Amino acid sequence: MEKMTKTERATQFAPFAALRGFYDLIREKERIVVPKHEIAEDKAAELSEKIGKKYFIQIKTIKGTQTIETSRLILRRAIREDAEPMFRNWASDPEVTKFLTWPTYQSVDNAYTILGLWIKEYEKPDFYQWMIELKEIGEPIGSISVVHLRDDIAAAEIGYCIGQSWWHKGIMTEALTAVMQFLFKEVGMNRIEAKHDINNPHSGGVMKKCGMKYEGTSRASDRNNQGICDIAQYAIIQNDWVCKLK
């Protein structure tokens, strides 16, 4: 049995809830998590070499919701002034919320309420919630967010919605692609997934255009505004994303 250093022993059983923001050393099925404050980044390769060539180090960083810009969009944090365009552009439209898990907004007060919650949540470094602002009109037309995080496997589930006036124009594909790049490149996620009601195939089309692969359908596995539904799941892992860029 290989002799372990003090750092190895102390971190071998570190909780995976603290994975992001840590070095992730992996050898086959064994994983050792090393807090970043215990080792400088320029020493990462040296540590990996000392432990063994079969290990590699992947640095996880906690970013929070950062502004992302594309050719047509600005993905940014929500502000209270977004309430009116949020209500008008998408949240009050039953066609937009048809396959979502939250009800159609009945008044702009509903928007003010959720925006207040999001703004408070921005204090947390692992909260990812963007407004999709269309540069052409200077106001948000939808939103995209990380709806579920799994720190133990460095995975994020993405959810999104956009106003009906902007469907089928490639805007959501542009937004999702930008968020995927941020999560893979800047945050260090290893897996990004998304799912949709099988009766809403256009959402799945966005996932496929962004390089996600269909992984299967779970029958009667979720509930949305249509009731209990079958869910199709798509995902992409970092290696596939890197290969897609080449």
Side-chain angles (χ1 to χ4, degrees):
M1 183 176 179
E2 296 181 45
K3 185 176 181 181
M4 298 180 68
T5 67
K6 182 178 180 181
T7 298
E8 291 173 53
R9 286 195 302 272
T11 58
Q12 186 176 26
F13 304 106
F16 292 127
L19 178 61
R20 280 171 300 104
F22 287 66
Y23 292 108
D24 186 13
L25 285 69
I26 304 171
R27 183 179 66 181
E28 298 172 349
K29 294 183 179 181
E30 183 180 1
R31 184 186 299 261
I32 296 177
V33 183
V34 181
K36 290 185 73 173
H37 68 267
E38 291 191 11
I39 176 175
E41 290 187 17
D42 59 357
K43 297 294 183 180
E46 181 182 339
L47 174 63
S48 181
E49 183 68 23
K50 286 182 179 180
I51 295 177
K53 293 182 178 179
K54 290 186 178 180
Y55 282 90
F56 70 93
I57 295 176
Q58 186 174 12
I59 300 172
K60 308 292 182 187
T61 56
I62 299 175
K63 290 282 187 175
T65 306
Q66 304 295 317
T67 300
I68 305 170
E69 187 169 349
T70 69
S71 60
R72 293 183 290 177
L73 309 171
I74 297 174
L75 308 182
R76 57 166 176 79
R77 294 186 175 192
I79 56 177
R80 278 185 56 82
E81 289 74 16
D82 291 329
E84 195 281 328
M86 179 181 187
F87 177 76
R88 170 170 41 85
N89 289 337
W90 76 93
S92 62
D93 185 348
E95 284 300 306
V96 172
T97 62
K98 184 175 181 179
F99 298 107
L100 300 181
T101 57
W102 46 271
T104 306
Y105 287 6
Q106 300 303 308
S107 76
V108 71
D109 289 339
N110 298 135
Y112 277 116
T113 298
I114 193 63
L115 289 174
L117 294 174
W118 289 352
I119 292 169
K120 185 174 179 59
E121 287 292 298
Y122 285 133
E123 298 173 4
K124 299 178 181 179
D126 59 352
F127 181 68
Y128 299 96
Q129 174 74 55
W130 291 271
M131 300 301 272
I132 302 172
E133 180 180 316
L134 185 63
K135 293 180 181 178
E136 183 180 357
I137 63 175
E139 62 182 35
I141 59 172
S143 66
I144 184 168
S145 64
V146 173
V147 297
H148 184 61
L149 280 173
R150 280 199 57 184
D151 290 324
D152 58 334
I153 58 172
E157 180 185 338
I158 305 297
Y160 49 78
C161 60
I162 191 171
Q164 190 174 176
S165 298
W166 298 277
W167 288 359
H168 314 306
K169 296 183 179 181
I171 292 175
M172 188 52 73
T173 299
E174 187 174 325
L176 179 55
T177 298
V179 168
M180 286 169 50
Q181 178 172 320
F182 172 79
L183 293 175
F184 277 138
K185 186 176 179 180
E186 302 296 329
V187 180
M189 288 295 172
N190 187 55
R191 174 184 167 89
I192 296 174
E193 58 190 55
K195 60 186 181 182
H196 69 90
D197 186 318
I198 62 171
N199 293 310
N200 184 24
H202 291 300
S203 185
V206 171
M207 299 168 197
K208 286 188 283 188
K209 288 178 183 177
C210 292
M212 291 187 178
K213 296 179 180 179
Y214 172 68
E215 294 189 331
T217 295
S218 301
R219 296 179 297 169
S221 61
D222 208 343
R223 177 185 289 274
N224 58 27
N225 290 328
Q226 300 304 298
I228 296 174
C229 57
D230 297 345
I231 291 295
Q233 179 158 309
Y234 288 78
I236 183 172
I237 60 174
Q238 191 174 102
N239 284 345
D240 292 341
W241 176 73
V242 171
C243 291
K244 182 176 178 289
L245 296 179
K246 293 179 179 180

